[in-house]
Amino acid sequence: MTPDGRITSEFDDVTIDSLAVFEDDDDLADLELVVLTLSSAVLLDDALRTHIQHSDPDLLRPVPGAEDLIRRLRATGVAVALVGGLPRSTQDAVLGTLGWIGLADITLSREDAGRGSPFPDLALTALLRAGASSVEGMVVVGDTPSDIAAGVAAGAGLVVGVLTGRYDEQALLDAGADAVLPSVADLPELLGYDDDHDHDHDHEHEHEHEHEHSGAEGSGIR
């Protein structure tokens, strides 16, 4: 954070000011991968947070706007990874219960990466699987100081805290967050997305499909 209170990111030395990281499409093009911790996208019951094997639908609620965020990012060519410290079997049960199997490009549990937060393994494994060119093109989003520390350790271009978990803004900033948002639903504004950009990008894809007769669906890594 600068002396005048502005938060800075690694993305081309762009300053995060008034919830705008990217000022134009060239800046937005630097974004390759968004890593979301599962707990930042899903309101998990305490039983799941303590790794008990339980996937009762009544205990699972997606953060409002989380699914739309993931779809919106992927529609504009940004890969999305959902990562978490739950055992793989529990994580898959959570995603299945929510109908989120296949929603993100990549899903990773601690078992897939080696170590969980605060180590950088999950974010860096997601980066490699996505085929991203640089850690500076990666955004890591989490709701705990441990998640934030993992993003910082991974060298992510932007590390964002969200307030849908147990921790307050100061705790996330103290852990190293570049910015703190009410929820993941606010991430598009931080990244500089707008409806016109999304509309233009979707129109370009429709035009490409008409001329190339491509059978591919969506964008991002499979």
Side-chain angles (χ1 to χ4, degrees):
M1 183 177 291
T2 62
D4 61 354
R6 292 180 300 169
I7 304 167
T8 58
S9 83
E10 300 290 335
F11 283 106
D12 296 332
D13 296 323
V14 175
T15 298
I16 304 172
D17 195 6
S18 301
L19 287 183
V21 179
F22 301 106
E23 297 298 333
D24 54 41
D25 286 349
D26 289 338
D27 290 329
L28 193 58
D30 294 336
L31 179 62
E32 298 181 83
L33 170 67
V34 172
V35 178
L36 301 173
T37 63
L38 190 61
S39 61
S40 73
V42 180
L43 300 171
L44 296 175
D45 176 80
D46 284 344
L48 286 169
R49 289 183 180 276
T50 54
H51 296 190
I52 294 175
Q53 303 284 335
H54 197 356
S55 58
D56 185 338
D58 292 336
L59 304 181
L60 295 172
R61 291 179 293 130
V63 171
E67 183 172 345
D68 287 343
L69 166 70
I70 295 170
R71 294 188 186 282
R72 187 176 189 183
L73 290 169
R74 294 187 67 189
T76 55
V78 177
V80 178
L82 281 171
V83 305
L86 294 172
R88 166 53 77 174
S89 58
T90 305
Q91 181 167 300
D92 286 346
V94 169
L95 296 175
T97 298
L98 293 171
W100 280 16
I101 299 295
L103 176 64
D105 298 284
I106 300 159
T107 62
L108 296 172
S109 70
R110 183 171 56 188
E111 300 162 27
D112 300 314
R115 299 172 297 177
S117 299
F119 299 101
D121 302 28
L122 283 164
L124 293 178
T125 300
L127 183 85
L128 292 172
R129 292 201 182 180
S133 61
S134 170
V135 292
E136 293 183 355
M138 174 172 66
V139 173
V140 173
V141 183
D143 67 338
T144 71
S146 183
D147 295 337
I148 301 303
V152 172
L158 184 67
V159 182
V160 180
V162 292
L163 297 175
T164 47
R166 299 174 173 179
Y167 294 91
D168 61 19
E169 179 179 12
Q170 194 57 54
L172 299 173
L173 289 173
D174 288 346
D178 295 304
V180 177
L181 303 174
S183 83
V184 294
D186 300 290
L187 189 62
E189 184 178 1
L190 179 69
L191 298 178
Y193 275 74
D194 57 54
D195 291 337
D196 289 341
H197 178 276
D198 290 349
H199 175 77
D200 291 345
H201 197 285
D202 291 344
H203 179 73
E204 288 174 7
H205 276 284
E206 290 173 4
H207 186 71
E208 289 172 2
H209 290 328
E210 288 175 1
H211 288 274
E212 296 176 8
H213 302 286
S214 172
E217 294 182 0
S219 60
I221 317 301
R222 290 290 189 273

